[in-house]
Amino acid sequence: GAVVSQHPSWVICKSGTSVKIECRSLDFQATTMFWYRQFPKQSLMLMATSNEGSKATYEQGVEKDKFLINHASLTLSTLTVTSAHPEDSSFYICSARDPNAGRGGYEQYFGPGTRLTVT
Amino acid sequence: LAKTTQPISMDSYEGQEVNITCSHNNIATNDYITWYQQFPSQGPRFIIQGYKTKVTNEVASLFIPADRKSSTLSLPRVSLSDTAVYYCLVGDMNTGFQKLVFGTGTRLLVSP
């Protein structure tokens, strides 16, 4: 199946700093990517939908000025957590939609996730 | 988006068959049912997808009754490595599952 990578796999940053997380589709072009956040023992929560070449669409309650999303190419989307605080510590997961995949071409492939710890 | 309800947790032993049922009473005509598996500190992994009746692949089977208001994921002869959280999602294939809304999932624990 298609592969989605994330970098870094884990990151520790100090409160007030910004951190960037990359999501790449390695063997397909993804016009749409998604960003999720997952707290321990909880389910995934969709944060935003990232479309190549256009502004991201954020879910209700997600601060777009704090979580900056850039989808500059068909294989790369980035999530920047600005002015991070300890409550932003979480597991961030991206997924990419391969329009040419099997099963009707609508399967989403998930990255391995990025563990962010803000101290 | 149709809401799904699953048991919070299930326990099983190695070699047994595990059936996880998901309720989706408000499923729409164009909705497909998809199951994902997630291990700790990893992204979810696609398991199986179906629309009606039965679907089988190398990993699992998916049973969907005629009214499609529920579905059952069947894992044959589970092993310790099947310990994970299993999510049931429903979505409209025509819109490409633009938004996957994850419910609570079912935490499966397989013991020796």
Side-chain angles (χ1 to χ4, degrees):
Chain A
V3 178
V4 175
S5 70
Q6 284 185 239
H7 178 81
S9 56
W10 59 270
V11 57
I12 301 173
C13 71
K14 292 189 175 182
S15 185
T17 62
S18 296
V19 61
K20 179 186 287 187
I21 303 170
E22 293 185 349
C23 176
R24 293 182 185 272
S25 55
L26 298 186
D27 49 4
F28 66 99
Q29 293 183 329
T31 53
T32 304
M33 291 183 172
F34 303 87
W35 287 95
Y36 298 82
R37 180 167 54 182
Q38 186 175 34
F39 293 108
K41 304 288 187 182
Q42 294 188 23
S43 184
L44 285 79
M45 184 192 77
L46 178 65
M47 298 176 67
T49 300
S50 170
N51 294 300
E52 187 267 337
S54 65
K55 290 183 177 181
T57 302
Y58 291 81
E59 294 299 303
Q60 190 173 8
V62 178
E63 300 175 61
K64 61 180 180 181
D65 294 330
K66 180 171 183 62
F67 299 99
L68 302 179
I69 292 173
N70 188 321
H71 193 155
S73 77
L74 287 172
T75 60
L76 173 65
S77 176
T78 60
L79 168 68
T80 301
V81 183
T82 62
S83 187
H85 291 284
E87 55 265 32
D88 297 324
S89 298
S90 188
F91 192 53
Y92 291 86
I93 307 170
C94 74
S95 70
R97 177 170 166 258
D98 181 2
N100 298 315
R103 289 177 285 275
Y106 296 117
E107 181 180 320
Q108 282 192 29
Y109 298 93
F110 286 83
T114 297
R115 175 77 57 194
L116 169 63
T117 301
V118 184
T119 62
Chain B
L1 295 169
K3 179 180 170 61
T4 60
T5 303
Q6 308 173 230
I8 295 296
S9 63
M10 293 183 69
D11 295 320
S12 183
Y13 294 96
E14 280 189 296
Q16 289 190 334
E17 178 184 78
V18 171
N19 296 307
I20 305 174
T21 297
C22 176
S23 296
H24 28 80
N25 292 317
N26 296 322
I27 189 168
T29 302
N30 292 329
D31 285 345
Y32 276 63
I33 301 153
T34 307
W35 285 79
Y36 282 86
Q37 174 192 55
Q38 186 183 27
F39 297 112
S41 296
Q42 293 187 29
R45 183 177 74 102
F46 173 93
I47 300 177
I48 198 166
Q49 184 179 81
Y51 184 81
K52 61 180 180 180
T53 62
K54 176 184 175 182
V55 179
T56 298
N57 61 21
E58 63 277 6
V59 177
S61 294
L62 179 60
F63 299 91
I64 306 168
D67 66 5
R68 303 200 328 121
K69 293 182 182 299
S70 66
S71 59
T72 299
L73 174 72
S74 181
L75 304 173
R77 299 182 59 80
V78 294
S79 63
L80 297 177
S81 62
D82 292 317
T83 293
V85 179
Y86 293 83
Y87 293 98
C88 161
L89 296 91
V90 296
D92 186 349
M93 285 288 283
N94 291 328
T95 62
F97 282 100
Q98 287 292 342
K99 293 172 63 169
L100 291 184
V101 178
F102 284 80
T104 57
T106 297
R107 193 171 297 272
L108 173 66
L109 175 62
V110 181
S111 301

